[in-house]
Amino acid sequence: MRKLISLGFILLLCLTAGTALAAERVPLRVAILPVMDQTGGWLDRDSAAVLSARLRQEFHVPLNGLLQAVEYVPPEDIAAAYRQLKQTAQLQGKKLTPAEMTRQLAAALPADLVLELAVDSWYEHTYLNGDGDSCVDVCVGLTLYGWNQRAKTSVREGAGRCVSDDCAVVGGAERQGSDALEEILQKTQFRKLVFPLQSVH
């Protein structure tokens, strides 16, 4: 019984501390645009969803509802602002680049960080080699564009994979694309924008 009481007291302290910290913190407001397919239709919907989910997961904070470390801009707000900026640019005879679009979206939404992942290439071809083994040719290329409003800096980082080997080794375009995205996230270090959790005055 005493152990249960002690555990309950510890949990209460953690909740109280978390609530106090959340009250002092300004959440990192993140806008993640839908994956941009520049492959001419080679990218399938499921693979795009996998990439998008992984990008969003980079900002996952346990107990975020309590800590309020990260706030995601609703997709409908992103879509509406995107359409408005695109229409305005068209009326002016301009075509916004991904870099310019993310910068303007950061101001329009507003958001602290706006990201758009472009899939530049996504090719997979399976075949049997001379020994009858199942092999695959894979070539993927990704570019992550964005704007960090707090630092007033742009984001542009790319990675790619072109491999030809046994299917069990290569794993297909989705696996290679996921590995390329991991490389990008390792370079950009977005987790440092969230962790360690600290208040922002």
Side-chain angles (χ1 to χ4, degrees):
M1 186 67 178
R2 288 182 178 178
K3 289 183 177 180
L4 289 175
I5 294 174
S6 298
L7 180 60
F9 182 70
I10 291 172
L11 288 174
L12 180 61
L13 285 177
C14 290
L15 289 172
T16 303
T19 302
L21 186 60
E24 297 178 358
R25 181 185 298 111
V26 176
L28 180 72
R29 188 166 159 83
V30 179
I32 299 178
L33 278 65
V35 172
M36 178 168 53
D37 181 5
Q38 301 196 120
T39 69
W42 285 94
L43 178 67
D44 61 276
R45 185 176 299 179
D46 290 342
S47 295
V50 168
L51 295 173
S52 182
R54 177 61 188 92
L55 185 56
R56 185 182 177 91
Q57 194 269 337
E58 187 70 1
F59 301 93
H60 173 72
V61 176
L63 299 176
N64 188 58
L66 173 67
L67 298 174
Q68 298 179 22
V70 176
E71 177 185 351
Y72 293 101
V73 179
E76 56 271 21
D77 292 354
I78 297 173
Y82 187 97
R83 284 194 302 268
Q84 183 61 51
L85 289 173
K86 190 173 181 179
Q87 289 173 1
T88 301
Q90 288 175 341
L91 290 174
Q92 296 173 348
K94 300 178 181 178
K95 184 176 181 180
L96 296 178
T97 64
E100 184 63 20
M101 175 61 82
T102 54
R103 187 185 69 80
Q104 291 194 24
L105 278 172
L109 286 168
D112 297 310
L113 184 66
V114 180
L115 297 173
E116 181 173 31
L117 180 65
V119 178
D120 306 308
S121 59
W122 193 270
Y123 173 78
E124 178 179 334
H125 172 64
T126 305
Y127 62 94
L128 296 177
N129 65 12
D131 297 325
D133 299 322
S134 181
C135 295
V136 62
D137 293 331
V138 171
C139 191
V140 301
L142 310 177
T143 305
L144 183 63
Y145 300 93
W147 179 259
N148 184 333
Q149 183 68 9
R150 288 183 178 178
K152 298 295 189 295
T153 57
S154 62
V155 176
R156 181 171 181 171
E157 194 65 63
R161 300 283 189 279
C162 283
V163 292
S164 180
D165 207 333
D166 187 280
C167 287
V169 175
V170 175
E174 188 170 298
R175 175 174 159 186
Q176 295 300 319
S178 294
D179 287 348
L181 180 55
E182 290 299 329
E183 179 182 331
I184 290 173
L185 295 176
Q186 184 64 33
K187 290 177 180 177
T188 52
Q189 292 290 301
F190 291 129
R191 297 291 285 174
K192 290 184 178 180
L193 298 177
V194 182
F195 296 98
L197 296 177
Q198 52 190 338
S199 61
V200 178
H201 299 284

